[in-house]
Amino acid sequence: VSNGDTRLKYMVGVNRFEHEQVELFTGFNFATTYTVRNTSGFGLLSYDFSDKLTASIEGRQSRDEIGQVGVFAGITTPRAATYNRFSPRVAASYKLTPDVMLYGVVSRGDAPGTFNTNASLSAAAPQYNNVREEQITNYELGVKSTWLEGRLTANLTAYSMDWKDQQLLVAITYPNLAYSPTAPAGSVNAQQNITGQFTSNAGASKVNGVELEVAAKATEHLNLRGTLSYVDAKFKDFCSPQAWI
């Protein structure tokens, strides 16, 4: 981290995260072990061009290693995938007055890819095992202001987001590999097919919005806060997997 008293400021760092989750469904005869390892490095560079104008650029490089071992009806389905991504952010701010600041931001974020953790689906329909990363590119303009000697703040933001490869829940019907014609009626193994909800890269959306946030110190013991939002979100594309496999 740089000295905060200079015009040029910077910060760098690294992060490591590990997680393991085990799901057991004894009544349904399957189990899943899910692991995640994330390693990332990030950096920020900021420069004060004047007492009023500041610009910054940021970036994060991430590597996600994910794995899953599913067991269903005696069938083991191990899977693993690695996702590398770069998430940039560019921002600028300008102080019109000591109490009013304009700002703009352009950023891109990613949700890592994943697996459908249901071992029965993995065994019956492996084409739906992997779920790709989803990506959001965000454009934002706003104003932050303080009034009445700091007793009132009012912030207004307008934004637009492009959302690609959305990870959405969809319904899929697939063969039950544990089906047995001699299984007791009403049991899971007596069902020839199973219908469930699973994650798929089924959509792309455009989201536009405006948000107003106001906070006031009415008295020494009373603070008031209110938010007003308008959101216009539309699917640009929606393609559900085949409903019957």
Side-chain angles (χ1 to χ4, degrees):
V1 179
S2 63
N3 189 331
D5 297 331
T6 61
R7 286 196 171 192
L8 179 65
K9 303 176 182 67
Y10 62 87
M11 179 175 63
V12 294
V14 294
N15 182 68
R16 173 74 173 180
F17 170 80
E18 296 187 9
H19 174 73
E20 180 175 300
Q21 179 176 320
V22 179
E23 299 177 349
L24 299 174
F25 299 89
T26 55
F28 292 88
N29 195 28
F30 68 84
T32 301
T33 301
Y34 191 71
T35 59
V36 177
R37 294 181 179 88
N38 171 272
T39 304
S40 62
F42 61 89
L44 177 149
L45 188 65
S46 173
Y47 188 77
D48 298 327
F49 290 93
S50 67
D51 293 339
K52 294 185 175 182
L53 178 62
T54 299
S56 65
I57 183 169
E58 306 171 35
R60 176 183 291 269
Q61 181 67 44
S62 300
R63 177 184 177 88
D64 288 291
E65 301 170 80
I66 62 175
Q68 175 189 302
V69 177
V71 179
F72 177 72
I75 301 174
T76 300
T77 54
R79 298 199 304 275
T82 299
Y83 297 93
N84 295 289
R85 64 187 187 280
F86 179 71
S87 302
R89 183 179 187 271
V90 178
S93 62
Y94 183 80
K95 293 183 178 179
L96 288 176
T97 71
D99 298 321
V100 179
M101 182 186 74
L102 304 177
Y103 72 93
V105 177
V106 179
S107 61
R108 188 182 69 204
D110 300 84
T114 184
F115 299 119
N116 282 304
T117 58
N118 188 309
S120 62
L121 175 67
S122 301
Q127 66 269 36
Y128 295 112
N129 283 346
N130 290 15
V131 183
R132 300 188 307 275
E133 294 177 300
E134 62 178 7
Q135 182 183 102
I136 296 179
T137 303
N138 179 63
Y139 307 90
E140 184 175 328
L141 292 173
V143 55
K144 297 183 178 181
S145 61
T146 303
W147 309 85
L148 303 177
E149 298 181 345
R151 296 181 61 184
L152 175 68
T153 60
N155 302 325
L156 180 65
T157 304
Y159 59 88
S160 179
M161 295 189 295
D162 290 314
W163 198 344
K164 299 179 180 178
D165 286 330
Q166 282 179 266
Q167 298 173 1
L168 302 173
L169 285 177
V170 295
I172 302 175
T173 299
Y174 56 94
N176 181 6
L177 298 185
Y179 166 72
S180 172
T182 60
S187 67
V188 174
N189 292 348
Q191 302 175 27
Q192 294 190 38
N193 300 290
I194 301 175
T195 299
Q197 286 188 321
F198 304 98
T199 304
S200 176
N201 298 105
S205 297
K206 181 74 171 181
V207 182
N208 298 315
V210 179
E211 181 172 289
L212 173 65
E213 181 182 21
V214 178
K217 186 175 180 62
T219 69
E220 183 179 353
H221 304 288
L222 177 62
N223 293 324
L224 303 175
R225 182 181 299 271
T227 301
L228 180 65
S229 298
Y230 171 78
V231 179
D232 178 24
K234 297 179 180 178
F235 275 114
K236 296 194 298 183
D237 182 35
F238 185 86
C239 181
S240 176
Q242 188 175 3
W244 185 279
I245 297 173

